[in-house]
Amino acid sequence: MTQASETRPERISEAEHAVMEVIWERNPITAAEVCDQVCAARGWSLATVKTLLSRLVSKQAIAAEPEGRRFLYSPLIARADYIGGESRRLVDRLFGGRAAPLFAHLAEQEALTDDDLAEIEALLKELKQ
Amino acid sequence: MTQASETRPERISEAEHAVMEVIWERNPITAAEVCDQVCAARGWSLATVKTLLSRLVSKQAIAAEPEGRRFLYSPLIARADYIGGESRRLVDRLFGGRAAPLFAHLAEQEALTDDDLAEIEALLKELKQ
DNA sequence: TCATATCGACTACGTCTGTAAACATGAAGA
DNA sequence: TCTTCATGTTTACAGACGTAGTCGATATGA
């Protein structure tokens, strides 16, 4: 059963993702406001943000609603979906789809703080309840 | 103090990574042998593999040792380092560097099998011992 | 020795990405 | 009304990436 319109979400690049984060955090939002949030941090110009915004629009990752002579942008895909997809891609590509080896790796690299461990432990308990 | 030669490992692309996996699994290995392992699966031609190999050589991800009139390729970076780096990038980019939210996400998506859970639990115990 | 298969090096080329300038147009102030 | 600012649209351009063809040299079998 293939869905009628299998709109495979087009891949969001790294720079585009930075813009998405801003939009997820606050929306609807204008181009200038997005720029306020990221241009300083990434050394971008407003023009760059505009380009990224229009690419995100054509990728249907965000919606642009006209407001006067400008646009208000809002997310069309949920952050949870995005990070879920990216996480899955990584786990599939590097760990054969199994999450445990990823966890083992992070643990080995001491990339897990005590807080992380405690939190994960709590989650584990919950999952097993 | 910046290190003398800050050889920031150049980014390995998706296609290149597929080649790396073959080389990690068996090495030293020739271009033709690499092709045997991936060309069918990915629908590539030998020429494509050769290109990827030479890009990997220039990125210093693999070494090419001459053997007669051909090369034997071997990894210069460890698989563990690679997947560690990639995992870290993802965790940094999407989860603010904390692993717990990633774990929570995988759990939420039911991307964790019972085996995964058991394994992670075991690892946790070990880490806390 | 001559054709052929093999192999790396070089070249190619369309797409995507990062980064931005130029341009057109409408709004707003002088 | 004339100028200037703000804003989206179009165009640009270099570098990375995916994918592969061509070239030149060597090994090899007839």
Side-chain angles (χ1 to χ4, degrees):
Chain A
M1 291 289 114
T2 47
Q3 263 118 306
S5 79
E6 178 81 38
T7 311
R8 157 177 61 284
E10 246 179 297
R11 193 115 179 70
I12 290 173
S13 78
E14 161 107 22
E16 286 160 2
H17 169 241
V19 169
M20 286 305 292
E21 285 294 344
V22 174
I23 298 178
W24 276 321
E25 192 167 320
R26 186 152 78 77
N27 65 77
I29 190 174
T30 68
E33 287 165 341
V34 170
C35 188
D36 287 346
Q37 302 297 305
V38 285
C39 285
R42 322 247 319 190
W44 286 345
S45 75
L46 174 59
T48 299
V49 169
K50 286 183 193 168
T51 300
L52 294 173
L53 283 170
S54 54
R55 287 180 185 168
L56 284 168
V57 167
S58 50
K59 288 182 180 180
Q60 295 187 285
I62 60 178
E65 172 147 15
E67 190 255 16
R69 39 186 268 74
R70 61 200 178 154
F71 284 127
L72 295 180
Y73 300 93
S74 307
L76 279 181
I77 69 182
R79 180 174 143 91
D81 287 348
Y82 175 73
I83 68 185
E86 291 294 299
S87 308
R88 172 133 292 286
R89 282 169 51 81
L90 182 98
V91 171
D92 284 349
R93 203 163 66 85
L94 301 183
F95 301 95
R98 303 264 339 271
L102 164 58
F103 179 81
H105 234 284
L106 292 171
E108 225 167 88
Q109 293 206 317
E110 286 159 45
L112 298 174
T113 64
D114 287 346
D115 282 355
D116 281 329
L117 291 177
E119 211 165 308
I120 290 171
E121 208 179 358
L123 276 165
L124 260 184
K125 266 204 187 72
E126 205 172 307
L127 285 171
K128 299 186 47 184
Q129 116 287 72
Chain B
M1 4 27 288
T2 48
Q3 264 118 303
S5 79
E6 177 81 38
T7 310
R8 156 176 57 283
E10 246 178 297
R11 195 108 179 73
I12 290 172
S13 79
E14 162 108 19
E16 288 160 1
H17 169 241
V19 169
M20 286 306 292
E21 286 292 346
V22 175
I23 299 180
W24 277 320
E25 193 167 318
R26 188 152 78 76
N27 65 76
I29 190 173
T30 68
E33 287 165 340
V34 170
C35 188
D36 287 345
Q37 301 298 304
V38 285
C39 285
R42 322 246 322 189
W44 287 345
S45 73
L46 175 59
T48 299
V49 169
K50 286 183 193 168
T51 301
L52 294 173
L53 284 171
S54 56
R55 286 182 185 167
L56 284 169
V57 168
S58 51
K59 288 181 181 182
Q60 294 186 286
I62 60 178
E65 173 147 11
E67 191 255 16
R69 40 188 264 74
R70 62 202 177 150
F71 284 127
L72 294 180
Y73 299 93
S74 306
L76 279 181
I77 68 181
R79 180 173 141 92
D81 287 348
Y82 175 72
I83 68 186
E86 290 294 299
S87 308
R88 172 134 293 285
R89 282 169 51 80
L90 181 98
V91 171
D92 285 349
R93 203 161 67 85
L94 301 185
F95 300 96
R98 302 267 337 272
L102 164 58
F103 178 81
H105 233 283
L106 292 171
E108 225 167 89
Q109 292 205 318
E110 286 158 45
L112 297 174
T113 64
D114 287 348
D115 282 356
D116 281 331
L117 291 177
E119 211 166 309
I120 289 170
E121 208 179 358
L123 276 165
L124 261 185
K125 265 202 189 70
E126 204 173 306
L127 285 171
K128 299 184 47 184
Q129 116 287 71

